[in-house]
Amino acid sequence: MIKNVKFLFYFLLLNILCFGCKKKEATQISFYYWNTIFNIDKTEQNYLDTLKVKEVYVRFFDIIKENGRIKPNAQIDFGKKTFSPVIIPVVFIENAVFKNISETELNGLIKHLAKEVQFIYTKTQKGLPKEIQFDCDWTKTTAKAYFNFLEKFKANQPNILLSATIRLHQIKYFEQTGVPKIDKGVLMYYSTGNPLDFSDKNAILDNEIAKNYIKNIGNYPIKLDIALPIFSWAIVKNEFDETRLISGVKSIDLKDTVFFKPLEKHFFLVKKSNYLNGLYLYQGQRIKLETIEPADLMIAVKNIKKYYPNKVDKIIFYNLDGINFDNISTTDLVQISNSI
Amino acid sequence: MRKIIFCFVIFIILTGKLMACSWYDPDEEYYNLFDQHLLADKSLTPFLLTYGSQYYGQSYYGDKEVEEIDYNIKEWSNFFDKKIVDADLNYLVYESSNSELSKILATNSFSKAPSELQHAEFLIGKGRESLEYLIFAKKCEQWAILGQNDDWSYNRKKMDKPTFMATAKIGNLLFDKTKDKDLKVRIAYQLVRLSHYAGFNDDAVRYFNTYMEPIGLKNLIYFYALEQKGGALFNQNKFAEAAYTFVKVFENTPDRKISCYNSFRISSDLHFSDALKLCKTNDEKASLYAMRGYQNFSNALKEMENIYAIAPNSNKMELLAIRDINKAERELMELGVNYGEDPKFLIFSPPLKAYMKKMILFSEKVISEKKVKRLDFWNTYLAHLYFLNQQYEQSQNACKSIVTEDKAIKEQAKRTEFSAYLANLKFISSAEESLIFNHFMNKITEDEQQFMYELLGHKYLEQKDYAKAFLCHNEVNSLYPNHDLKIIEALFDFVEKPSKNKLEAKLLGDKLGDEKHALNVLNDLKGTYFLFTEDFIDALIYFRKVPSNFKILDNYTRYNYNTGVDEVIEGFDGFGKISGRIFSAAVRSYFEDTEENALTDLTYKEPQFSFIKEKMNKLQLVETIIKLQELSIQKGEIGAKANYLLANYFFNTTNAGYYRNIPYYEPGNYNIYTYYNISPEPLKEIEKLYNFNGFGYRVTPKYGFETPFKLYILAEELSTNQEFKAKSVFMAAKCEVELFFLKEEDTPYELSYWGKPSKLYSDFNRPMFAKLYSNYSKTKFITEVKTNCSYYRYYLAAKK
């Protein structure tokens, strides 16, 4: 009898230990897509399949202000392509759009924008989008108008989940910068500096700088997904101290010693004039390369985990482009998302 | 998110320095001494260097330097042998309707047509054909302007293939039927454009090759069509061919250069070398290099070298050269040289210095080889390079040796020569001043004038000629925010100096007026200096030298919130009209309020203070202060009140006081622009400045709350009247809160709008409030405090 009770006890204990803890739901992986011509190549598709990506955040168009007129710009061209992950439309809006915007302009913008999103969406997807995301680096003077826009848009489209990007400074100083009334935010955990400073700091993501912006993230009143960078770029400086940004430059692009000479860490000299990603570089100009390594992102998620008490449902990597995958494998991305 | 692409787009297109804000024009932020309009080929004017707009002449402020000519109308005018006026051609081409034109054709009569169309030319031969053409062109136009007005793609009409085929068919038939070659060219142009804009790029290229080229007429419309073909080639990913095509259109049209440059997009070495291979002449190759060189970020010198090697007389050489030297000027001769820690003027960074050397070597080579036509231009250019490179004697010699009949080049040479002479001066004595004065009297540009003052101001400062250094850039009102004694005394010496030379007389006349007036101004300034360093005896000495009716400022207007009207206020006039209320106080006062409402305490009107006038000038003010100081050493109520009134004066003339305008020579106390320039950092010593440009922005903040604080406490101690004591302590509390904020480095979060100011309202930080509470809670005065002072109410709430 005692033997049976003992057996039962240990059996129950074993079950509790094995099954008592609730299995943690994995953080979803997603991507931003920011090209104007929609074209997913084999590498990109492979990443989507391997990582079981369900949703891709696709920039549909920008809203800009030109000669006093608010208008869309650079609408995406889907062509005749079909696409299986769900597309979530993203619209970037210049901060200037909301400066002194009138009620009429705001209402007109909401009306046109909704129709434009729907028009483009139906080129590749059926029905209505389940989520729409806005990307705007609002300031103190435009906060009221932008937040008003978001509220009115939501009222206009109540069944669509409304999300918006939140930048690091809008977390740290949220009491001053305000918090939009949205269903969900995406923290852009990058752009920690000005690349044109041409300093030795990595303007894409400097973890020491970034972590200082999220110490109070626990107080942020809305749920956040996290956006992390996987892109790289180069900054070129000429004799007049002018600088230019060249997106998509990787270290392999600067390996040819006929054209480039490595100087100190991340800095190169143009040895022979040549085109680099569309910009003509002249002999003698200096280049600074900024990249993101998987290790940088591991530190980033470690810091986020330290300060953000809530579960992160989704990491959205910026951005889905084959050139960004030379440096970071699917294994790396899984490891990063599992670490948050 | 967008920041990445935003950066990429903006910074790829523009320089890192471009700041296109509506209030800031980067083209006004440097001294432009080398005239960009020396450019021989004026059609390239839009490509002169500008950071204020995308192309030169397109300023945000609407004043365009480039004349707008409708070349299409000019072509029509030539077509009709200049027999039809432009206004009528304008109507014909842009405003007439198809029905109007069709009616003329159908009836062979223009009698019922608008007056602009009543020309016999339209009824016969090519005139009739032109109407048929225009009917077709207007049909095509609706498709060509698609997308220009419909920003939103969901709204946009698109030309489908059947519509395109049907429209093109009309054009094909018309082309076959039309005899006139000029009109055939136009029809072909419409077909190419229609195809391109409808997205049928193959058809666009085909129409150009099979319809346009065989006509054999390469007029302006031919090149317009070629531009359309370029667009179609680009859409076909034939980048080299497209680039070459745009270059040809650029070279052969006066009005499509900007659009061709915008369309020119080469992004690889392969495409560039393929485009070069397509060029049939060295001039075409030179144009290709030039297109690459126009980009603001490009190394123009390298492209000039490429061009010079194959086409030394290309018109692009001068353009690139002028852009480069203009860039160098923007680096070396920026306005606001005193801003920043380490002012640099005419000083290169090492990379730019190395680049400048290369520019010089190249220019010397161009001159010595004599392959270029305009040697006078290149000699002037080189002379200016020498000047910028601090080779001043070489620059002057080079200028002297320029031989030219060109008026603009002569003027440039004079400007460069004098600039080099001035920059090279080690010391400015009367002899040099004479030459400088003569140069000022020449017809020189505003930029040159200001550049001369920039250098003169610096050299005078270096040789410790503070008065002249000051007067190079300032009138006396630059001393109002900051009564610098060194400069005031230097100005006294300068004004009183007998036998001034012409330049000195000019400086005096331009900036200070006549000697008598200048001395009055300076005496007032020196007295004011002593007034605010509290040396009242010294202040008296100087104020006594100022005429009693002396004034500097006019009346000002102030918006009355009660009446909703702008009122003219007779305020402080710089010397006089200082109200006796400067000795008054109030629990709460607003700057926008009238004096009577803002300062209600009437202690200053008590009989023992009857010497305080209703309105005083500075002399009378100082005399009153001295009298009060004499009374303040007495015991009892008189001493107490004298201290109280003195404290009020000191408080009221701090930055927090109602009469804060008086130290800064402002007529009223709000909208004081001086305040925008108060720097939290200590001001640099004047000897460390480059010159005194911007001296008026050096503002000495007027705090000094310690003095009134001490006097209020003394007033409280000397009095036995509880109400008066409460009043004094409350005023001490006002000083106390100002001192508190001066101590805090940044406004702490707790004191911000969202915070709870518990730190501010503690007994520790507000001992005067604590004293009021513990000693004077039963006074009538405290009721007024509780009603009107929210800080005191917060303090009380924090105690609960």
Side-chain angles (χ1 to χ4, degrees):
Chain A
M1 173 73 171
I2 290 166
K3 251 193 197 168
N4 286 340
V5 169
K6 259 192 187 170
F7 172 77
L8 191 61
F9 172 76
Y10 284 119
F11 179 74
L12 283 172
L13 185 63
L14 190 64
N15 272 281
I16 287 163
L17 287 170
C18 288
F19 303 111
C21 300
K22 200 172 173 185
K23 196 172 179 182
K24 185 184 162 193
E25 218 177 293
T27 299
Q28 248 192 80
I29 291 176
S30 183
F31 287 92
Y32 279 107
Y33 186 87
W34 221 257
N35 293 342
T36 316
I37 306 219
F38 189 82
N39 184 28
I40 303 292
D41 67 24
K42 277 193 185 133
T43 310
E44 292 154 11
Q45 189 62 56
N46 183 40
Y47 267 64
L48 293 174
D49 295 338
T50 308
L51 295 166
K52 297 186 177 46
V53 172
K54 294 189 189 125
E55 296 159 340
V56 174
Y57 289 78
V58 178
R59 186 206 69 96
F60 271 25
F61 50 89
D62 303 336
I63 300 288
I64 61 172
K65 197 166 189 176
E66 195 175 83
N67 298 327
R69 228 170 76 222
I70 296 171
K71 53 183 270 196
N73 188 52
Q75 283 96 326
I76 192 167
D77 178 4
F78 275 110
K80 293 188 172 85
K81 295 162 190 95
T82 55
F83 189 62
S84 55
V86 169
I87 285 179
I88 296 178
V90 182
V91 177
F92 169 78
I93 310 181
E94 263 182 8
N95 183 46
V97 164
F98 292 109
K99 275 191 187 136
N100 306 314
I101 189 171
S102 69
E103 198 68 21
T104 312
E105 283 172 323
L106 192 78
N107 293 335
L109 174 61
I110 291 168
K111 185 186 107 188
H112 285 303
L113 198 150
K115 285 189 181 171
E116 188 78 347
V117 165
Q118 188 55 39
F119 175 72
I120 295 173
Y121 188 77
T122 49
K123 290 188 180 188
T124 179
Q125 309 272 294
K126 289 187 168 54
L128 291 170
K130 65 170 202 171
E131 180 184 341
I132 289 180
Q133 187 171 111
F134 290 108
D135 177 19
C136 175
D137 189 4
W138 80 87
T139 54
K140 266 192 208 166
T141 48
T142 57
K144 192 174 170 191
Y146 176 51
F147 293 174
N148 191 22
F149 161 82
L150 290 170
E151 283 180 48
K152 283 191 166 186
F153 190 91
K154 177 71 184 181
N156 196 259
Q157 312 277 331
N159 298 320
I160 297 180
L161 191 135
L162 182 62
S163 62
T165 54
I166 312 288
R167 284 151 176 81
L168 285 166
H169 68 94
Q170 290 156 346
I171 294 286
K172 184 172 181 180
Y173 302 110
F174 75 86
E175 283 120 340
Q176 280 100 304
T177 59
V179 178
K181 276 204 184 105
I182 47 179
D183 298 312
K184 193 175 60 159
V186 180
L187 169 60
M188 285 169 54
Y189 200 79
Y190 50 95
S191 285
T192 50
N194 181 0
L196 302 184
D197 286 346
F198 211 74
S199 71
D200 55 0
K201 295 235 180 283
N202 188 331
I204 298 177
L205 176 61
D206 183 304
N207 275 309
E208 283 305 304
I209 294 175
K211 78 177 184 195
N212 284 328
Y213 278 85
I214 58 165
K215 288 183 175 167
N216 63 341
I217 194 174
N219 298 335
Y220 200 75
I222 53 171
K223 189 108 172 49
L224 295 170
D225 290 335
I226 305 292
L228 291 174
I230 54 171
F231 62 91
S232 59
W233 59 29
I235 305 101
V236 191
K237 190 180 251 209
N238 70 7
E239 296 79 0
F240 289 94
D241 257 2
E242 294 164 327
T243 43
R244 281 289 185 281
L245 192 71
I246 315 174
S247 71
V249 176
K250 312 176 294 296
S251 48
I252 197 166
D253 295 323
L254 302 176
K255 276 235 158 21
D256 191 337
T257 52
V258 168
F259 294 105
F260 304 105
K261 178 184 169 188
L263 302 171
E264 61 271 29
K265 196 179 175 201
H266 303 310
F267 288 89
F268 298 80
L269 183 72
V270 179
K271 269 173 76 177
K272 187 177 172 192
S273 301
N274 69 107
Y275 277 94
L276 178 64
N277 283 20
L279 181 69
Y280 193 66
L281 306 180
Y282 291 85
Q283 184 186 9
Q285 288 176 342
R286 283 166 53 100
I287 302 178
K288 186 199 170 194
L289 179 68
E290 292 187 346
T291 60
I292 292 293
E293 306 299 320
D296 298 320
L297 296 180
M298 287 302 292
I299 295 171
V301 298
K302 185 177 148 209
N303 289 335
I304 293 167
K305 190 172 175 175
K306 181 178 172 185
Y307 294 109
Y308 190 52
N310 305 330
K311 181 183 167 300
V312 173
D313 291 334
K314 197 183 290 177
I315 292 182
I316 315 173
F317 290 102
Y318 186 96
N319 62 323
L320 181 67
D321 190 327
I323 57 171
N324 292 334
F325 294 143
D326 287 355
N327 221 20
I328 194 157
S329 65
T330 50
T331 312
D332 291 327
L333 295 174
V334 168
Q335 198 180 0
I336 289 160
S337 76
N338 286 345
S339 301
I340 199 158
Chain B
M1 183 66 58
R2 185 69 180 113
K3 196 168 186 171
I4 296 97
I5 299 296
F6 182 70
C7 285
F8 173 67
V9 170
I10 293 295
F11 297 127
I12 285 289
I13 295 167
L14 305 171
T15 74
K17 288 181 185 171
L18 179 58
M19 293 162 58
C21 299
S22 59
W23 50 268
Y24 166 77
D25 184 356
D27 289 341
E28 301 288 322
E29 294 299 309
Y30 72 107
Y31 296 113
N32 175 213
L33 297 184
F34 193 86
D35 184 6
Q36 292 204 81
H37 295 102
L38 290 178
L39 178 67
D41 185 345
K42 303 298 179 200
S43 73
L44 296 175
T45 302
F47 298 92
L48 291 175
L49 194 64
T50 172
Y51 291 159
S53 54
Q54 209 179 353
Y55 294 97
Y56 192 91
Q58 295 175 337
S59 101
Y60 286 124
Y61 301 100
D63 40 298
K64 294 192 177 178
E65 291 204 30
V66 180
E67 195 195 340
E68 283 184 37
I69 299 171
D70 190 331
Y71 289 93
N72 184 29
I73 294 295
K74 273 186 98 163
E75 289 285 302
W76 278 112
S77 179
N78 292 336
F79 179 74
F80 286 112
D81 303 318
K82 296 195 190 335
K83 288 180 182 163
I84 303 179
V85 297
D86 282 3
D88 288 359
L89 288 171
N90 230 24
Y91 184 87
L92 171 73
V93 173
Y94 299 124
E95 293 176 48
S96 64
S97 66
N98 274 354
S99 64
E100 283 173 349
L101 302 180
S102 301
K103 221 182 220 176
I104 295 174
L105 286 172
T107 60
N108 203 37
S109 154
F110 54 67
S111 60
K112 294 218 167 88
S115 58
E116 291 90 342
L117 297 179
Q118 297 191 1
H119 293 278
E121 283 79 4
F122 296 149
L123 302 182
I124 51 165
K126 72 178 188 181
R128 277 191 72 89
E129 287 192 329
S130 71
L131 297 193
E132 286 170 351
Y133 159 73
L134 282 165
I135 289 169
F136 171 63
K138 286 170 193 291
K139 225 188 263 308
C140 294
E141 184 71 5
Q142 56 167 322
W143 302 111
I145 61 171
L146 262 186
Q148 284 178 32
N149 296 319
D150 295 326
D151 297 324
W152 301 93
S153 55
Y154 77 85
N155 231 359
R156 210 176 281 163
K157 272 198 316 181
K158 196 180 150 86
M159 189 182 218
D160 56 27
K161 191 86 184 190
T163 311
F164 166 71
M165 300 287 288
T167 314
K169 190 177 176 187
I170 298 171
N172 296 343
L173 291 170
L174 187 64
F175 183 86
D176 290 338
K177 183 184 159 204
T178 300
K179 294 187 177 52
D180 184 273
K181 272 191 173 177
D182 281 286
L183 290 173
K184 281 179 107 75
V185 165
R186 283 187 179 271
I187 295 165
Y189 161 72
Q190 291 294 340
L191 289 166
V192 175
R193 186 172 78 148
L194 187 79
S195 312
H196 174 219
Y197 282 175
F200 303 119
N201 298 300
D202 294 348
D203 290 305
V205 175
R206 180 180 59 80
Y207 270 123
F208 188 90
N209 293 343
T210 60
Y211 275 55
M212 183 65 84
E213 284 287 18
I215 301 170
L217 199 58
K218 290 191 177 167
N219 61 13
L220 189 65
I221 309 302
Y222 167 91
F223 286 104
Y224 287 172
L226 185 61
E227 187 187 3
Q228 296 294 325
K229 180 188 172 185
L233 287 167
F234 187 88
N235 292 339
Q236 291 176 321
N237 296 337
K238 293 178 181 168
F239 303 119
E241 236 186 293
Y244 172 64
T245 304
F246 289 126
V247 161
K248 280 176 57 172
V249 178
F250 184 102
E251 291 306 311
N252 288 286
T253 55
D255 59 339
R256 304 304 297 171
K257 292 189 192 310
I258 289 178
S259 69
C260 285
Y261 175 66
N262 284 339
S263 302
F264 180 87
R265 274 174 250 172
I266 287 274
S267 58
S268 75
D269 292 306
L270 178 65
H271 293 150
F272 192 84
S273 65
D274 284 349
L276 265 179
K277 285 176 195 160
L278 291 170
C279 295
K280 295 181 180 61
T281 66
N282 280 338
D283 274 327
E284 285 184 346
K285 288 181 185 169
S287 298
L288 207 58
Y289 286 122
M291 287 290 233
R292 195 167 63 185
Y294 292 154
Q295 290 165 31
N296 283 353
F297 193 72
S298 291
N299 184 323
L301 178 60
K302 189 75 200 120
E303 303 303 352
M304 277 200 280
E305 287 170 353
N306 289 333
I307 294 169
Y308 183 72
I310 54 171
N313 273 304
S314 166
N315 56 356
K316 310 302 184 299
M317 286 272 294
E318 281 186 14
L319 174 64
L320 292 173
I322 286 170
R323 286 172 58 93
D324 240 11
I325 207 170
N326 188 269
K327 254 194 196 175
E329 285 193 334
R330 287 168 193 265
E331 276 299 312
L332 292 172
M333 300 193 291
E334 213 176 329
L335 298 190
V337 69
N338 280 316
Y339 300 146
E341 279 302 309
D342 192 13
K344 285 181 172 31
F345 196 70
L346 291 177
I347 295 174
F348 282 112
S349 62
L352 191 53
K353 184 91 181 163
Y355 186 82
M356 176 63 66
K357 273 207 175 112
K358 290 181 195 169
M359 283 168 82
I360 288 174
L361 284 170
F362 175 72
S363 305
E364 285 172 345
K365 175 181 163 173
V366 165
I367 289 167
S368 68
E369 290 182 356
K370 291 187 169 49
K371 290 179 189 172
V372 295
K373 280 190 208 143
R374 290 214 318 159
L375 269 175
D376 50 357
F377 167 82
W378 285 98
N379 277 309
T380 312
Y381 183 77
L382 180 60
H384 203 76
L385 285 176
Y386 286 143
F387 155 65
L388 294 176
N389 199 39
Q390 300 178 347
Q391 294 169 260
Y392 298 128
E393 282 169 22
Q394 221 162 338
S395 173
Q396 290 173 76
N397 292 336
C399 288
K400 287 184 171 96
S401 65
I402 291 167
V403 176
T404 184
E405 292 305 314
D406 187 308
K407 190 172 161 221
I409 290 180
K410 276 186 189 167
E411 274 177 26
Q412 181 61 59
K414 266 199 206 135
R415 183 161 47 245
T416 300
E417 187 183 351
F418 194 82
S419 301
Y421 161 76
L422 189 62
N424 200 28
L425 287 178
K426 303 287 179 276
F427 187 83
I428 303 181
S429 68
S430 281
E432 287 80 28
E433 284 176 335
S434 175
L435 288 173
I436 291 165
F437 175 79
N438 290 340
H439 197 77
F440 269 123
M441 294 298 110
N442 292 335
K443 256 170 95 175
I444 59 176
T445 64
E446 178 66 25
D447 270 24
E448 189 181 359
Q449 229 188 114
Q450 295 309 314
F451 169 76
M452 285 170 68
Y453 278 126
E454 195 77 67
L455 271 189
L456 271 179
H458 171 63
K459 289 179 189 293
Y460 279 136
L461 177 53
E462 273 192 328
Q463 61 192 59
K464 297 198 188 323
D465 224 325
Y466 294 139
K468 289 187 214 175
F470 178 83
L471 293 172
C472 277
H473 291 107
N474 302 284
E475 294 181 16
V476 74
N477 56 13
S478 294
L479 285 166
Y480 294 163
N482 177 6
H483 325 123
D484 190 295
L485 190 63
K486 255 189 209 161
I487 294 187
I488 294 170
E489 286 178 341
L491 286 170
F492 263 114
D493 292 340
F494 175 75
V495 172
E496 289 169 339
K497 179 187 170 189
S499 318
K500 294 182 188 48
N501 65 36
K502 283 181 180 171
L503 183 63
E504 288 168 336
K506 176 179 163 53
L507 285 173
L508 175 67
D510 285 351
K511 302 295 172 70
L512 287 177
D514 64 60
E515 272 188 37
K516 190 174 165 194
H517 175 74
L519 284 170
N520 287 338
V521 165
L522 291 172
N523 279 316
D524 167 61
L525 255 173
K526 198 160 181 181
T528 306
Y529 169 82
F530 287 122
L531 173 64
F532 290 105
T533 52
E534 299 171 26
D535 293 308
F536 300 114
I537 303 297
D538 284 331
L540 265 185
I541 295 170
Y542 290 94
F543 286 143
R544 281 185 179 136
K545 298 181 187 181
V546 180
S548 60
N549 62 350
F550 178 71
K551 81 172 221 173
I552 297 164
L553 308 170
D554 294 322
N555 295 332
Y556 70 102
T557 55
R558 185 181 61 208
Y559 181 73
N560 187 320
Y561 287 92
N562 296 322
T563 62
V565 164
D566 281 331
E567 293 174 338
V568 175
I569 307 292
E570 257 196 56
F572 171 57
D573 67 15
F575 184 68
K577 296 198 180 140
I578 300 170
S579 169
R581 280 184 197 265
I582 203 168
F583 296 105
S584 179
V587 170
R588 184 181 70 185
S589 48
Y590 295 115
F591 291 121
E592 307 86 67
D593 236 334
T594 60
E595 283 175 326
E596 295 74 24
N597 291 337
L599 295 160
T600 51
D601 183 80
L602 295 174
T603 306
Y604 79 102
K605 279 193 178 273
E606 289 180 9
Q608 61 269 38
F609 303 116
S610 60
F611 54 86
I612 298 177
K613 295 177 172 29
E614 274 302 317
K615 291 283 181 200
M616 299 170 278
N617 61 31
K618 283 178 186 170
L619 173 62
Q620 290 160 333
L621 172 67
V622 171
E623 285 168 345
T624 304
I625 290 170
I626 291 173
K627 223 170 190 145
L628 284 170
Q629 282 182 324
E630 287 162 5
L631 291 174
S632 71
I633 58 176
Q634 287 187 27
K635 302 272 181 229
E637 294 308 313
I638 294 212
K641 285 178 181 176
N643 277 298
Y644 174 78
L645 294 182
L646 283 168
N648 286 344
Y649 158 75
F650 284 115
F651 183 86
N652 284 335
T653 52
T654 62
N655 288 338
Y658 189 83
Y659 293 100
R660 59 185 182 169
N661 52 301
I662 289 178
Y664 299 123
Y665 287 79
E666 295 267 357
N669 64 13
Y670 75 115
N671 278 343
I672 296 182
Y673 295 109
T674 307
Y675 276 11
Y676 292 117
N677 297 319
I678 290 182
S679 165
E681 308 296 328
L683 295 175
K684 231 189 247 183
E685 295 121 40
I686 58 171
E687 294 83 355
K688 290 193 176 155
L689 297 171
Y690 181 81
N691 55 28
F692 293 144
N693 196 351
F695 197 86
Y697 299 117
R698 290 163 57 86
V699 181
T700 316
K702 181 113 186 20
Y703 300 131
F705 297 103
E706 289 90 348
T707 301
F709 179 82
K710 281 189 201 135
L711 292 173
Y712 285 127
I713 297 303
L714 188 53
E716 187 224 358
E717 285 167 8
L718 289 173
S719 176
T720 53
N721 182 307
Q722 286 293 93
E723 295 294 333
F724 178 82
K725 284 162 91 76
K727 204 161 59 173
S728 299
V729 168
F730 178 77
M731 287 306 296
K734 271 193 167 183
C735 299
E736 179 181 79
V737 75
E738 299 292 341
L739 287 164
F740 173 84
F741 280 115
L742 282 175
K743 259 197 334 238
E744 297 292 313
E745 272 184 22
D746 295 304
T747 305
Y749 175 72
E750 302 87 75
L751 301 179
S752 70
Y753 179 77
W754 297 271
K756 293 180 193 345
S758 53
K759 188 176 174 187
L760 180 59
Y761 300 116
S762 64
D763 283 354
F764 180 79
N765 283 313
R766 303 307 307 269
M768 290 300 109
F769 273 176
K771 201 183 217 186
L772 263 179
Y773 178 76
S774 59
N775 296 359
Y776 303 108
S777 288
K778 296 199 170 107
T779 58
K780 281 190 208 145
F781 180 75
I782 213 68
T783 313
E784 192 187 339
V785 172
K786 282 185 197 172
T787 311
N788 290 318
C789 179
S790 50
Y791 279 153
Y792 191 68
R793 290 199 298 274
Y794 296 153
Y795 167 78
L796 292 177
K799 281 192 93 57
K800 288 183 186 148

